[in-house]
Amino acid sequence: MLISETTRPETQKIRLICQAAQLVLENGGETYRVEETALRMASGLGLSDVNIVAFPTSIFVSVGGLSRIRRVTHRGTNTSRLARVNDVSRKVEHGLLSADEAEAELAAIAADPGLHQLTLIAAYGVSAASFSLVFGGGLGTLLVALFIGMAVQAIQPLFSHMAMGTLLFDFCGGFLTAALAQLAAYIMPYGSVNAAIVGGIMPLLTGLLMTTAVRDTMYGDLISGIARAVEALLLAACIALGVYVGLKLTGMMGGAVL
């Protein structure tokens, strides 16, 4: 069906709303935040009779007689992107950005690669080392946890483009953490193996995802809340399975006994 000149601006506005909602959902935003962002933009763009429904894997937008569905396959956590999309939506709501300007801003946000991999490796290592201290580790444990954390984050790009990349990365991260902690203790006793393992897996855990699930449930988005909670538990199970396999294999190879 051909789109008339009067309809063409409406399709651009709907596309813009979908793009903003998708960015919020892909970067860890709650369901209510996705819908609120889209409604703010719709109000600023002068659209009426707007209905928006968001789920963890899809977005449905209906404006008048036009409807759009967006499938969301990639999800993560990037609070910087969330803040930037929120800023764009509020500017559109208050008439400070036109549709074309907002579309350019959202395209720039989507194209932003984020933090450099070396920065992420260093941050993961420091986080793992810090948690090892919290769980009773000493200086030796801290150094081992630092190395383990950096090694785990270093392999993350290998899984980023896989269909089940997050699950596989969590399993491999748990496995690598347990195996390296055991092997390091076998080569040179350094202190608490338990603290090194717990410190190494703490950055992998899905605390923010579970928090988002609880917030979705409290806001009445029961389907999204349950889906996110199941996802968080599944990811935690993959980490635990990876740790178990790592401990068993290194134990069979003569690794340190906890």
Side-chain angles (χ1 to χ4, degrees):
M1 181 180 68
L2 294 177
I3 300 175
S4 67
E5 291 301 321
T6 57
T7 307
R8 196 179 301 276
E10 298 299 313
T11 61
Q12 181 197 23
K13 293 176 181 179
I14 296 175
R15 184 175 68 250
L16 187 61
I17 292 171
C18 290
Q19 186 178 7
Q22 182 175 351
L23 281 171
V24 174
L25 193 58
E26 286 179 341
N27 291 282
E30 302 90 336
T31 300
Y32 82 90
R33 191 184 301 275
V34 175
E35 297 174 354
E36 180 187 29
T37 298
L39 288 173
R40 285 180 180 276
M41 296 195 69
S43 174
L45 294 171
L47 298 176
S48 58
D49 190 20
V50 180
N51 292 283
I52 299 160
V53 180
F55 298 103
T57 58
S58 54
I59 301 165
F60 301 83
V61 178
S62 174
V63 180
L66 299 175
S67 299
R68 292 289 185 275
I69 300 175
R70 284 285 181 98
R71 173 73 173 170
V72 178
T73 57
H74 172 75
R75 294 187 306 280
T77 302
N78 191 322
T79 55
S80 175
R81 283 184 178 177
L82 287 179
R84 292 173 64 185
V85 175
N86 183 64
D87 183 57
V88 170
S89 69
R90 291 181 182 276
K91 286 181 178 179
V92 171
E93 181 186 20
H94 294 99
L96 301 178
L97 284 178
S98 66
D100 291 334
E101 291 171 336
E103 191 168 21
E105 289 277 352
L106 293 178
I109 294 172
D112 185 0
L115 295 175
H116 193 275
Q117 174 66 357
L118 292 178
T119 303
L120 294 175
I121 290 175
Y124 195 109
V126 171
S127 177
S130 301
F131 278 117
S132 71
L133 291 179
V134 172
F135 288 95
L139 178 60
T141 305
L142 180 145
L143 295 176
V144 171
L146 176 67
F147 170 75
I148 290 173
M150 295 174 69
V152 170
Q153 179 57 41
I155 68 171
Q156 191 275 335
L158 301 176
F159 304 90
S160 59
H161 300 294
M162 294 184 181
M164 297 177 60
T166 303
L167 292 174
L168 291 174
F169 170 63
D170 282 353
F171 173 82
C172 292
F175 172 82
L176 189 61
T177 298
L180 290 178
Q182 288 278 69
L183 291 175
Y186 178 72
I187 295 171
M188 184 182 66
Y190 56 83
S192 174
V193 177
N194 278 332
I197 294 175
V198 175
I201 66 173
M202 282 299 289
L204 287 172
L205 295 179
T206 54
L208 183 58
L209 184 59
M210 183 60 76
T211 301
T212 302
V214 173
R215 293 188 67 175
D216 278 344
T217 303
M218 292 176 63
Y219 274 86
D221 298 310
L222 300 181
I223 295 176
S224 296
I226 293 172
R228 290 181 190 271
V230 170
E231 182 182 4
L233 293 174
L234 182 59
L235 293 175
C238 286
I239 297 171
L241 181 61
V243 171
Y244 174 79
V245 173
L247 291 175
K248 282 296 182 180
L249 286 181
T250 51
M252 292 170 59
M253 294 169 59
V257 179
L258 293 177

